[in-house]
Each structure stands twice: as structure tokens, then as C-alpha cells.
Amino acid sequence: MRFRNKVVWITGASSGIGEALAYAFSAEGAHLVLTARRQERLEQVKNACKGEGKILLLPFDMTHLDCHATMVGAVIEHFGQVDVLVNNAGVSQRSLVMETDFSVDRRIMELNYFSVVHLTKQVIPFMLQHEGGHIVVVSSLLGKFSTPLRSAYCASKHALHGYFNALRAELYDQGIRVTIVCPGFVKTEVSQHALRGDGTEHGQVDPSIAKGLEPNKVAQRIVDAIHKKKEEVFIAGPEGFALLINRFAPGLFSKIIRKARVT
Ligand SMILES: NC(=O)c1ccc[n+]([C@@H]2O[C@H](COP(=O)([O-])OP(=O)(O)OC[C@H]3O[C@@H](n4cnc5c(N)ncnc54)[C@H](OP(=O)(O)O)[C@@H]3O)[C@@H](O)[C@H]2O)c1
């Protein structure tokens, strides 16, 4: 019960990592705000939560920035504060640079980066009023290195590190903590909803994702990291070695990754 009576707002809570986080935080005694576009899936998640905390469903499209202030207002009216904001909603990509329409590059940045920055900036004033709060950002190993077929996705995740490392430094003395989560492959709907170059969904469960980590285990590691106020956490299977190769042998990494077409 490490988060008893804390208000935890999870975006992208209708499936995958966000859904698993809802169950994990509920079991820890938290009150939840669950956001995604699919309301019926949010209802199912709410019904499957076992904890005694209250749950507010707040379905909306994160890229509709003009409704963020209203949504934050609804959370504050309901719970009075936000203790933890978990920016988890995101979309991946399955297309080569030259086969990707620029509108798709923009769409990925709008959701994975700009919507996260915008919502966070709406929430922080209320955290400051309560003398503290915790911002969590679900990035990826691909926020640390890049692979083919994921150019805009890698860019959006790299951008999160740049922005939120600065935010952490600026607001540390005012009690705001920032945890950036970098998962490897996790068994979720991510590859099904990943965008192709023309903006349509990839629609397939990729082998890498099918063999990925279980979302519940990943969620547990994320909750532990938030509790310990870790600044950055890596949660991955064997693909995590790529991080080490990139860091300690970048020339070798560059040669290997040219040939990679991970699906
Ligand atoms: N699975 C992996 O291997 C992996 C690895 C590294 C990082 N990640 C990151 O983990 C996060 C969660 O992804 P996942 O793997 O759990 O995939 P997922 O099962 O596809 O979940 C994505 C979530 O984001 C929500 N979402 C998508 N577009 C949205 C929008 N415009 N507005 C509001 N919500 C939106 C989806 O709900 P609706 O469709 O109902 O809106 C869903 O709840 C993402 O940021 C992803 O980049 C995943």
C-alpha cells in the first residue's frame, strides 16, 4: 500500500502498460484517473481494478490540446490534487524514412511528445500548490538509441529525455520529481496500432512484441521505480544489451543497426 490515497493519473490506460499500471497502482491503494480514447475499454479496466481507491474515467484524445485544461480542472474538482501523472499514451511506427508521409512524422510527435509536454504543464501548477508531485514519462530504449523503421518514434522518445531532464533540474527544489521509464519489448497492442508510412495501422502482432516482457511485470517495476523516485529506469529483456553496445562501442552499434529491420 505504498500509494494509499495518492491520486495517480495514467494516460493510455485502456491497454498494455497503462492498463497494467492501473491494476498495480490500484493494488497499492491509489485513487486513479484513467485516460485513453476507448471509453468501453477504460470501463473494463476500472471493473478489473481490485483496490479500494476511487476511480475517475476521463476519456479524451491526448492530441486535442485545447481540452487539456478542462480535463485537469475535472480531476482537481474530483480529487483536489494530482500526486503522480504517468504520461504513458503513445503510438509507434513501422515505416522507413522515405516511405513516411510528413503528416505521420507530425502525428507521432503530436501524441508522443507535444501532448505530454502540454498536459504536464497544465498539471504542474496544481502540484506546486501541494508542494510536490511526481511526473512519470514512459519513453523507450528507443529514447536512447535509434533503429530503422522507427525514425519519428525514436525522435519523439529522444525529445522526451531532453525536455524532462531539464524540467527535473528546474523544479527539483520545488518538490517535483521526474521518472523516465525506458522499456524494451513489452507484450502489448503497440505493434498493432503502430503507424505505417501512409498513416494506416500496421495491424500485426510483431514477433519481437509477442516475445516481449509481460505488462504486469513491467508495471510492477515502474511502480517500484516511482516509489524509489528513480530518475531513469530501464526495463528490458536481451534487447537491453543494445543500450550497452551503443554506449561503449558506438561505431560497432552503428554498423550493426544498419542491417536491422526489427519487427
Ligand atoms: N510495448 C512496447 O514494446 C513498448 C516499448 C517501449 C515503450 N513503449 C511505450 O509504452 C507506452 C504504452 O504503450 P503500450 O505498449 O502499452 O501500447 P498500447 O497497448 O497500444 O497502449 C497505448 C495506449 O495509448 C492510448 N492512446 C493512443 N493514442 C491516444 C490518444 N490520441 N489519446 C489518448 N490515448 C491514446 C491507447 O488507448 P486508446 O487507443 O483507447 O486511445 C492505449 O491505452 C507508449 O508510450 C509506448 O511508446 C512500449
Side-chain angles (χ1 to χ4, degrees):
M1 289 292 178
R2 292 172 291 179
F3 289 86
R4 186 190 287 278
N5 291 331
K6 297 287 181 197
V7 179
V8 180
W9 186 353
I10 304 165
T11 71
S14 61
S15 65
I17 296 172
E19 175 182 1
L21 279 170
Y23 302 143
F25 274 114
S26 174
E28 296 276 359
H31 301 303
L32 299 178
V33 183
L34 304 181
T35 285
R37 292 164 302 176
R38 291 170 295 177
Q39 182 162 5
E40 67 292 351
R41 291 283 293 263
L42 289 178
E43 305 271 4
Q44 289 165 9
V45 174
K46 178 181 178 179
N47 292 335
C49 283
K50 300 263 189 292
E52 287 172 9
K54 298 189 196 97
I55 301 178
L56 173 66
L57 300 187
L58 210 55
F60 67 96
D61 187 326
M62 281 283 293
T63 62
H64 296 170
L65 304 186
D66 51 358
C67 76
H68 282 190
T70 309
M71 295 301 158
V72 174
V75 174
I76 298 301
E77 195 178 315
H78 196 84
F79 285 124
Q81 66 192 85
V82 178
D83 294 295
V84 183
L85 172 65
V86 185
N87 290 299
N88 165 74
V91 66
S92 190
Q93 177 187 11
R94 296 292 183 275
S95 56
L96 298 168
V97 169
M98 296 314 293
E99 293 168 3
T100 303
D101 197 275
F102 183 64
S103 65
V104 175
D105 293 313
R106 274 211 125 106
R107 228 170 111 187
I108 291 171
M109 286 302 284
E110 284 295 339
L111 177 61
N112 292 4
Y113 178 67
F114 286 114
S115 82
V116 175
V117 168
H118 194 263
L119 185 67
T120 300
K121 289 179 87 162
Q122 307 282 317
V123 168
I124 281 181
F126 295 98
M127 289 183 164
L128 293 175
Q129 274 176 22
H130 281 86
E131 291 167 1
H134 203 131
I135 304 293
V136 181
V137 181
V138 179
S139 171
S140 166
L141 288 187
L142 298 185
K144 289 290 185 177
F145 58 82
S146 293
T147 66
L149 294 169
R150 310 276 197 283
S151 49
Y153 181 75
C154 293
S156 68
K157 296 299 188 182
H158 276 68
L160 290 172
H161 289 256
Y163 189 91
F164 283 90
N165 284 334
L167 187 151
R168 180 195 294 115
E170 286 184 19
L171 294 173
Y172 186 90
D173 287 343
Q174 290 166 75
I176 304 295
R177 297 293 172 263
V178 175
T179 298
I180 304 181
V181 181
C182 304
F185 298 125
V186 188
K187 218 184 280 181
T188 69
E189 297 178 11
V190 70
S191 65
Q192 282 138 283
H193 300 301
L195 299 181
R196 299 190 295 201
D198 62 0
T200 56
E201 287 195 354
H202 178 59
Q204 295 167 36
V205 181
D206 286 343
S208 57
I209 297 301
K211 285 184 268 167
L213 299 175
E214 291 295 335
N216 290 343
K217 293 204 172 119
V218 173
Q220 204 52 59
R221 296 265 315 270
I222 295 173
V223 170
D224 291 347
I226 297 169
H227 178 67
K228 290 178 187 153
K229 300 191 166 43
K230 290 208 166 171
E231 296 194 348
E232 202 166 68
V233 58
F234 299 92
I235 306 170
E239 69 278 10
F241 282 113
L243 194 68
L244 297 178
I245 301 172
N246 184 48
R247 183 175 299 173
F248 296 112
L252 175 64
F253 181 86
S254 175
K255 285 193 182 123
I256 295 170
I257 214 68
R258 276 175 216 162
K259 309 278 179 225
R261 296 287 184 272
V262 178
T263 55

